[in-house]
Amino acid sequence: MMRTMSATPAPAEALSVRVLRAQVASLYATVREASLADFVVAMVFAALMVWQLRNWHVLLWAGLHIAQAVRMPLLLAYFGDAQAHARCAHWAQVHARELLINSSVWGLAPWLFLPANSLPLTSLMMLVMLGLSAAGAISVAPLRTSIFTYVMPMLLGLASALAWNGGLVNYFLAGCTLLYLAVVLKFALQQHALLTESLETRVEKEALAERLSAQVTATQRASEEKTRFLATASHDLRQPLHAIALFGAVLERELRGGPQWVHASRLMHAVDTLRDSLSTMLDVSRLDAGVVSPEPQNVRLTEVLQALHHVFAPKAEEKNLQLRLRASPLWVRSDPALLSRMLFNLVDNALKYTPRGGVLVRARARGDAVWLEVHDTGMGIAPEYQERIFEEFYQVDNPGRDRSQGLGIGLSIVQRLSRLLGHPLQLTSRPGKGSCFRVVLPAAPAIARPLQTLPEFTHTGPRPAAAALPQRVLVIDDESDIRQATVALLRGHVQEVQAVANEAQAAQALRQAQAAGAHIQAMVCDYRLGGGADGLEAGLRLQRELAPQAMLLLITGETAPERLQRVRDAGVPV
């Protein structure tokens, strides 16, 4: 007997419900064709028997069969039931009941008009009923109950009628019928077992696929939430940190030469460490979240190496190391910002772990590829550690997590960027001899524009003198703390500095400066102003309309590549 399932079934019950639903759907998929075929066979059989026997019992039997066929709408109602899947147990019972009625009508035929004195007609009746039982058993095999309700009444009726008529031949035929019944049941039950096992496997796979789909959906939702968090954290966490750094720089300058200067210096070191750590971890999270999209273009390597030289020459000088960056006329196909970040991390890592000697960055053409290599004369990496150095927070020979050696995330970012850009990363290293990190880039044709051929950059001497600062500066930032901190910092370096919160106030300040004959020489503008205003558009508009002589600089906590690319395309320093 079938059980009624609860509204919230247990996992095992849920599996059985799904299997039963599939079994019922399989039975009803062929119910129209099977019922029509059974009716046609019954009518042809009845007509033949009437013609041969002239027995009114045949007409009675045909009437019963017609009456049973009239009940077909009871079965066909399954297709109009919107809740058929939820009521699969009910429809299984309906199907089994109608099969029982149909089989019982067939089982009555031998009792009503078995041709006892005609072996050919007896054989014909047996052939029809045995054939129907075999074919029907296969079609109803998905459900165990339907097998018994269809096969047994029909064949038991035939066997019992043969035995009732008596005679050696009839007894023999009755025994053969019972044997045939046993064989058909065994075969049908084996088919049922195979079908059930197949359905269970299919249902389990479907359930697994549904769970995986749910997990993927949950993961995507978590990724989207993480992306929204990062977009907020990238700006909202950097802004107060930027203000702290500015105020700290002011304190460090004002306390220089005094007994408290050492504390201010330590404060700034801690702030710089925190800022670097936050930026690095946000970058890793953005890469893992898949929100960084490369924008490949033809890149001249000389420009990339120039930028590296400007950043790392002071650091090499501090450690008394030689930094050599060989200028190259080669061009590659890559995202310039992400490629620069890869090389930045590789050079920074090389300088960090090179106590003496130096670092060499060079590019070499190799067929349709370009090898961009970072060599160092550092401690080298043993073979057993060469895979692990790309793991987050893993550092060779730093089990105590000495923060002076960094977070151990730089190479992890390099590997992520390598995969994102499709630039294979290779490492060769010998302990005590140094290491070489190689990035394999696709070569690209040069873009027709004037090229400035630069010599090999080698930095071992003093840093070049800084360019003169503009003396009249206008700061545009909607954050009050940032405005105050920037003004406090710049007052020690420029003649006059003003700070405003939006474009309208900036326009008023520029007009007042023009009227006084003290033209603003530089505007420092936040990329994201209050009310969703675009700092880049506002700055360019102010420069174009009111201060064409003033240079424009942007300050931002944004890290979205598309926004930074927009600033680069505008040619505004950021």
Side-chain angles (χ1 to χ4, degrees), residues 469-490:
L469 290 173
Q471 292 303 301
R472 294 185 179 86
V473 180
L474 176 63
V475 177
I476 310 171
D477 199 306
D478 60 306
E479 295 282 344
S480 176
D481 291 341
I482 299 294
R483 292 199 303 272
Q484 296 174 16
T486 305
V487 169
L489 178 64
L490 292 179

Side-chain angles (χ1 to χ4, degrees), residues 376-456:
D376 66 65
T377 58
M379 62 182 69
I381 306 167
E384 60 268 25
Y385 299 123
Q386 291 185 11
E387 290 292 333
R388 296 203 62 193
I389 61 171
F390 295 102
E391 298 176 4
E392 297 91 343
F393 307 109
Y394 181 81
Q395 294 171 301
V396 180
D397 297 329
N398 188 21
R401 302 295 301 157
D402 181 3
R403 293 298 299 274
S404 66
Q405 298 185 34
L407 292 175
I409 304 181
L411 291 181
S412 175
I413 292 178
V414 169
Q415 188 179 61
R416 284 170 165 83
L417 290 174
S418 168
R419 294 170 179 167
L420 180 66
L421 294 170
H423 301 339
L425 179 65
Q426 302 170 359
L427 167 64
T428 56
S429 184
R430 293 175 58 191
K433 300 293 184 181
S435 305
C436 171
F437 289 86
R438 176 184 299 143
V439 182
V440 181
L441 304 162
I447 297 177
R449 63 174 181 172
L451 297 181
Q452 181 182 0
T453 303
L454 299 177
E456 178 180 288

